[in-house]
């Protein structure tokens, strides 16, 4: 378990590190959130600030890895959620602080030397590019094989929960990537140069590579869901871990590679152009957030990192931004509380009016005494796969499929000498209390009532 | 052909859009039969409201510069005649400019030289493409 978490941990830190390193390289004349004319990109004073930023970013990356060993000691999922949220928030704030500090220095340098370029409030579009844009992406048909495979997967899954769930996840994933593809085809085409040929080439590069990236990732996603199914069918935990981790790494690698590839070829095209159009939008990007009421787009390309961010100048943008500022902590807090209640869970069993009642968080259950075919004690609960429920190093709770038994409900603390097994017509219930003595008492209670 | 919209200008965006397209047609960059992006595409790329682009296109259509076809979108139409409304506007605006030039002591030849230069300028802009 810690191995997965450490992988996730290092990957997140790595993504933050890599996207800030990229922000320090010029893209469309923007270095570190500051628009500078092309001829000063290699100015020693600029290079020095960039160098300082990269060094500081590396130190933040190293510092963010320091708490990693703690992952070996945190056992409760609730504490883990708390730890991860605080840690990600800390990296996020540190990155923001770093960018603002160094871009502040850079824009001070810009003001001193009056390195102002382009018009700040002029929008330039190329009519030819706007017309041809919709033909630049690879065909929608690229998604057809993935969608067909995902649908077959889903249809074969009816009647079996795990298969159905993974099939639905496969279809949903393909739809998400298709949505990203649609966003790509609607990407705003700017005029980068007076030369229509160059504008066409720059826009085509971006739309084409991104559309290929999304179509490929849709296929990877479906393939991965099939691997997950094989892993779960064979109870191969290692394979399912490899499946999840490799999918995350492959997706991240694909996105970074596509981004880098597009960026370098755009820079090459524009460097050769005599008549490039420079737009200085720094005014709208103060503090690292885009706020431009003249622009009706809700989503705009980020300047730092990969992907898009909302335009705070629009009503929807404001709603999404402030909603997530309030919503994310609320969701994390709710998750924390749910896991806290699970962690401090006490499994209890009572018998009233010929009904056996099992009290547990979320997965409480009632069963009539007459349905119980047998009650016995076993000294281990065999392994199996979880359908839905919680499995931690301390307890297992919820619905499982247990080897040698089949469909089961588990209310067990692990490392107990014995467990109660109730046999129902098509279900087994495993139960244990926190101490062997209590478990023994519950067992006697059940036996007395069944006689 | 490039279109430039100045968000800080006092001229309304739909008017700027109309003027830019007229400039394109006048200079020869846009020729009869050339198609323009759809309203939605142009609104997407400029970041202005769909209604604004619509208004500019409707204006250009009324003036006879564009034909709007349901299937093929907007297209540059055959040059409308320079008569009626246009002649009236030309005369009114020229009278004002000539009066102001005279008030600033600009003589007839200098005024006409400027006119010639700019008329040729517009044509040569189209030739550069």
């Amino acid at each position: 378990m810690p191995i997965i978490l450490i992988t996730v941990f290092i990957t997140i830190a790595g993504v933050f590190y890599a996207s800030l390193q990229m922000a320090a390289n010029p893209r469309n004349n923007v270095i570190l959130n500051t628009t500078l004319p092309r001829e000063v990109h290699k100015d020693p004073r600029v290079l020095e600030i960039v160098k300082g930023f990269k060094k500081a970013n590396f130190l933040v990356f190293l510092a963010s890895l320091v708490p990693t060993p703690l992952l070996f000691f945190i056992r409760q999922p609730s504490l883990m959620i708390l730890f991860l949220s605080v840690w990600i928030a800390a990296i996020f704030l540190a990155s923001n602080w770093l960018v603002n500090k160094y871009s502040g220095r850079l824009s001070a340098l810009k003001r001193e030397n009056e390195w102002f370029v382009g018009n700040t409030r002029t929008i330039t579009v190329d009519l030819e590019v706007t017309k041809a844009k919709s033909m630049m992406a690879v065909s929608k048909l690229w998604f057809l094989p993935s969608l067909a495979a995902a649908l077959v997967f889903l249809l074969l899954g009816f009647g079996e929960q795990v298969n159905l769930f993974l099939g639905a996840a496969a279809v949903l994933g393909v739809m998400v990537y298709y949505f990203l593809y649609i966003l790509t085809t609607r990407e705003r085409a700017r005029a980068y140069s007076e030369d229509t040929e160059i504008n066409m080439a720059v826009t085509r590069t971006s739309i084409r590579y991104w559309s290929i990236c999304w179509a490929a990732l849709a296929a990877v996603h479906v393939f991965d869901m099939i691997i997950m199914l094989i892993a779960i069918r064979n109870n191969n935990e290692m394979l399912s871990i490899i499946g999840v981790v490799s999918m995350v790494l492959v997706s991240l690698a694909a996105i970074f590679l596509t981004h880098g590839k597009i960026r370098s070829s755009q820079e090459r095209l524009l460097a050769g152009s005599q008549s490039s159009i420079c737009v200085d939008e720094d005014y709208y990007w103060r503090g690292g957030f885009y706020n431009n009421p003249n622009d009706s787009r809700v989503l705009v390309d980020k300047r730092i990192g990969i992907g898009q961010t909302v335009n705070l100048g629009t009503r929807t943008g404001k709603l999404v931004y402030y909603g997530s500022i309030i919503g994310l902590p609320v969701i994390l807090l709710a998750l924390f509380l749910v896991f806290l209640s699970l962690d401090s869970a006490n499994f209890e069993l009572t018998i009233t009016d010929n009904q056996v009642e099992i009290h547990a968080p979320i997965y409480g259950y009632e069963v009539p005494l007459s349905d119980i075919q047998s009650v016995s004690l076993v000294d281990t609960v065999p392994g199996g796969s979880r359908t839905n429920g919680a499995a931690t190093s301390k307890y297992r709770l919820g619905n499982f499929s247990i080897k040698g038994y089949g469909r089961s409900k588990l209310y067990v603390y692990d490392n107990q000498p014995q467990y109660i097994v109730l046999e129902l017509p098509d279900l087994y219930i495993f139960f244990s209390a926190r101490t062997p003595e209590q478990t023994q008492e519950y067992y006697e209670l059940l036996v007395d009532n069944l006689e | 052909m490039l279109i430039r919209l100045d968000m800080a200008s006092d001229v309304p965006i739909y008017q700027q859009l109309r003027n830019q397209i007229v400039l394109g047609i006048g200079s020869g960059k846009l020729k009869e039969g050339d198609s323009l992006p759809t309203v939605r595409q142009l609104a997407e790329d400029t970041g202005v409201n769909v209604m604004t682009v619509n208004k500019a296109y409707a204006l250009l259509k009324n003036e006879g510069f564009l034909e709007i076809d349901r299937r093929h979108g907007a297209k540059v139409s055959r040059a409308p005649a320079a008569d009626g409304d246009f002649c009236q506007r030309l005369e009114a605006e020229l009278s004002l400019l000539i009066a102001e030039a005279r008030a600033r002591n600009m003589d007839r030849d200098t005024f006409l030289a400027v006119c010639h230069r700019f008329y040729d300028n517009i044509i040569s802009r189209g030739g550069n493409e």
Side-chain angles (χ1 to χ4, degrees), chain A residues 138-146 178 181 215:
Chain A
V138 294
S139 162
K140 287 177 180 132
L141 294 178
W142 280 49
F143 282 88
L144 205 61
S146 314
Y178 184 68
Y181 166 89

Side-chain angles (χ1 to χ4, degrees), chain A residues 121 123 125 131 133 188 296, chain B residues 3 5 7 35 45 47:
Chain A
R121 311 280 174 103
I123 289 168
V125 295
K131 263 190 315 194
K133 211 175 64 176
R188 185 183 191 180
S296 66
Chain B
I3 285 209
L5 301 176
M7 293 296 160
S35 66
D45 280 357

Side-chain angles (χ1 to χ4, degrees), chain A residues 248-263:
Chain A
V248 171
L249 292 181
V250 165
S251 312
L252 281 174
I255 290 171
F256 268 83
L257 278 178
T258 307
H259 185 81
K261 173 102 185 138
I262 290 170
R263 199 160 149 161

Side-chain angles (χ1 to χ4, degrees), chain A residues 79-131:
Chain A
L79 282 183
M80 190 62 88
I81 286 176
L82 194 68
F83 173 71
L84 281 176
S85 337
V86 169
W87 178 78
I88 290 177
I91 298 189
F92 182 75
L93 291 175
S95 313
N96 252 9
W97 171 78
L98 205 62
V99 170
N100 283 339
K101 185 177 161 190
Y102 281 88
S103 73
R105 283 190 195 171
L106 209 52
S107 51
L109 188 67
K110 175 181 169 179
R111 271 196 305 278
E112 269 170 38
N113 294 284
E114 298 189 351
W115 286 335
F116 291 103
V117 275
N119 201 320
T120 50
R121 311 280 174 103
T122 305
I123 289 168
T124 312
V125 295
D126 192 318
L127 287 187
E128 295 306 312
V129 178
T130 302
K131 263 190 315 194

Side-chain angles (χ1 to χ4, degrees), chain A residues 140-420:
Chain A
K140 287 177 180 132
L141 294 178
W142 280 49
F143 282 88
L144 205 61
S146 314
L147 186 66
L151 283 175
V152 169
F153 192 175
L154 181 68
L155 290 176
L156 291 178
F158 273 105
E160 207 194 322
Q161 210 176 359
V162 178
N163 200 334
L164 192 65
F165 179 75
L166 287 172
V171 173
L172 199 72
V174 172
M175 278 159 67
V176 167
Y177 283 117
Y178 184 68
F179 177 68
L180 290 170
Y181 166 89
I182 293 291
L183 281 187
T184 295
T185 61
R186 298 206 177 150
E187 176 188 299
R188 185 183 191 180
R190 273 184 44 196
Y192 298 90
S193 158
E194 301 279 346
D195 186 348
T196 293
E197 292 280 310
I198 288 183
N199 291 333
M200 285 285 219
V202 168
T203 311
R204 189 183 295 117
T205 309
S206 167
I207 293 184
R208 197 166 174 82
Y209 283 137
W210 276 125
S211 60
I212 292 174
C213 172
W214 301 136
L217 284 183
V220 169
H221 174 76
V222 174
F223 181 70
D224 195 69
M225 288 297 127
I226 293 171
I227 290 196
M228 291 299 279
L229 181 70
I230 294 169
I232 290 176
R233 280 273 173 80
N234 300 317
N235 276 321
N236 189 337
E237 197 161 334
M238 204 53 216
L239 188 62
S240 67
I241 292 172
I242 291 172
V244 172
V245 172
S246 65
M247 181 173 71
V248 171
L249 292 181
V250 165
S251 312
L252 281 174
I255 290 171
F256 268 83
L257 278 178
T258 307
H259 185 81
K261 173 102 185 138
I262 290 170
R263 199 160 149 161
S264 62
S265 70
Q266 289 188 341
E267 281 300 312
R268 206 174 47 242
L269 281 167
L270 290 174
S273 157
Q274 296 300 314
S275 48
S276 69
I277 295 172
C278 189
V279 188
D280 188 333
E281 290 188 317
D282 290 4
Y283 174 80
Y284 299 120
W285 281 97
R286 283 165 302 169
F289 296 102
Y290 186 64
N291 188 340
N292 182 358
N294 290 325
D295 190 343
S296 66
R297 289 173 307 159
V298 174
L299 288 171
V300 293
D301 278 344
K302 277 185 172 181
R303 277 182 159 196
I304 308 273
I306 297 173
Q308 298 194 306
T309 182
V310 292
N311 176 5
L312 289 179
T314 60
R315 190 191 295 227
T316 319
K318 277 193 192 96
L319 216 69
V320 170
Y321 177 69
Y322 292 108
S324 58
I325 278 192
I326 300 167
L328 258 176
V330 169
I331 291 173
L332 285 175
L333 192 69
L335 265 179
F336 170 69
L337 289 177
V338 166
F339 276 94
L340 192 66
S341 80
L342 287 177
D343 287 349
S344 54
N346 235 343
F347 305 144
E348 280 172 22
L349 193 152
T350 55
I351 298 178
T352 42
D353 300 336
N354 290 324
Q355 288 272 97
V356 178
E357 288 176 17
I358 297 172
H359 304 279
I362 306 174
Y363 295 96
Y365 196 63
E366 278 181 26
V367 59
L369 271 176
S370 53
D371 276 5
I372 296 176
Q373 293 169 348
S374 75
V375 57
S376 53
L377 281 174
V378 290
D379 47 12
T380 53
V381 180
S385 60
R386 175 173 52 170
T387 330
N388 73 76
T392 70
S393 47
K394 283 190 167 168
Y395 59 83
R396 281 182 279 169
L397 169 65
N399 301 313
F400 288 75
S401 176
I402 294 296
K403 266 183 211 156
Y405 290 88
R407 208 160 80 82
S408 312
K409 282 183 179 290
L410 262 61
Y411 304 88
V412 295
Y413 293 98
D414 287 317
N415 308 319
Q416 298 285 321
Q418 49 189 6
Y419 303 89
I420 301 168

Side-chain angles (χ1 to χ4, degrees), chain B residues 57-86:
Chain B
Y57 273 25
L59 195 62
L60 286 160
K61 187 188 165 217
N62 280 340
E63 291 176 325
F65 292 115
L66 292 188
E67 304 169 12
I68 314 246
D69 185 306
R70 280 205 180 282
R71 277 181 309 158
H72 304 291
K75 219 166 58 173
V76 178
S77 57
R78 203 139 68 88
D83 57 2
D85 282 353
F86 172 71

